[in-house]
Amino acid sequence: QVQLVESGGGLVQAGGSLRLSCAASDRTFSPYSMGWFRQAPGKERDLVAAIAWSSGRTYFADFVKGRFTISRDNAKNTVYLQMNSLKPEDTAVYYCAARTGPATVSTRHYPYWGQGTQVTVSS
């Protein structure tokens, strides 16, 4: 079973940047597709970005396209979410998740989750 630990969250002003990291404990990290999700208070948990394990293909929610990028370093068992041009509406708890097989957009398809990291964007 893989364990995921997120880091890099914090408080930033609108227009600023943050980079989130998610470190996986499983040495066989590379077969996992990884996703970043976020959940604001009173809202559902939504996909932000995902990266497929085999092709490295990436997916982004429309509300972050052009602002966020996702990448992975299999040698370090780590996936990153680079967030630029942050907006107050990006404020949420950000979670990374892992699954074997292709990347998908649904939370139901990811059995492994980190504890989340808070991102707060002030206006």
Side-chain angles (χ1 to χ4, degrees):
Q1 181 173 349
V2 62
Q3 293 183 330
L4 305 173
V5 178
E6 301 100 333
S7 61
L11 173 64
V12 64
Q13 289 187 335
S17 298
L18 283 174
R19 189 177 80 156
L20 305 183
S21 300
C22 175
S25 62
D26 196 328
R27 293 182 179 179
T28 58
F29 174 68
S30 57
Y32 293 100
S33 292
M34 304 296 295
W36 282 100
F37 293 78
R38 73 185 189 188
Q39 187 167 23
K43 296 188 177 181
E44 294 185 351
R45 190 172 298 187
D46 293 324
L47 177 76
V48 175
I51 185 166
W53 75 268
S54 59
S55 65
R57 188 173 181 177
T58 56
Y59 306 85
F60 296 93
D62 287 342
F63 52 78
V64 301
K65 283 182 179 177
R67 300 189 296 126
F68 292 11
T69 58
I70 186 172
S71 61
R72 64 191 297 160
D73 185 338
N74 288 342
K76 296 183 178 180
N77 289 0
T78 301
V79 63
Y80 305 97
L81 183 69
Q82 178 66 45
M83 306 186 294
N84 299 326
S85 302
L86 282 161
K87 304 174 181 180
E89 50 264 44
D90 293 319
T91 295
V93 177
Y94 283 71
Y95 299 89
C96 73
R99 72 181 302 267
T100 55
T104 68
V105 302
S106 173
T107 58
R108 297 192 303 270
H109 297 159
Y110 289 82
Y112 307 113
W113 291 85
Q115 81 288 351
T117 185
Q118 176 70 47
V119 171
T120 303
V121 184
S122 63
S123 56

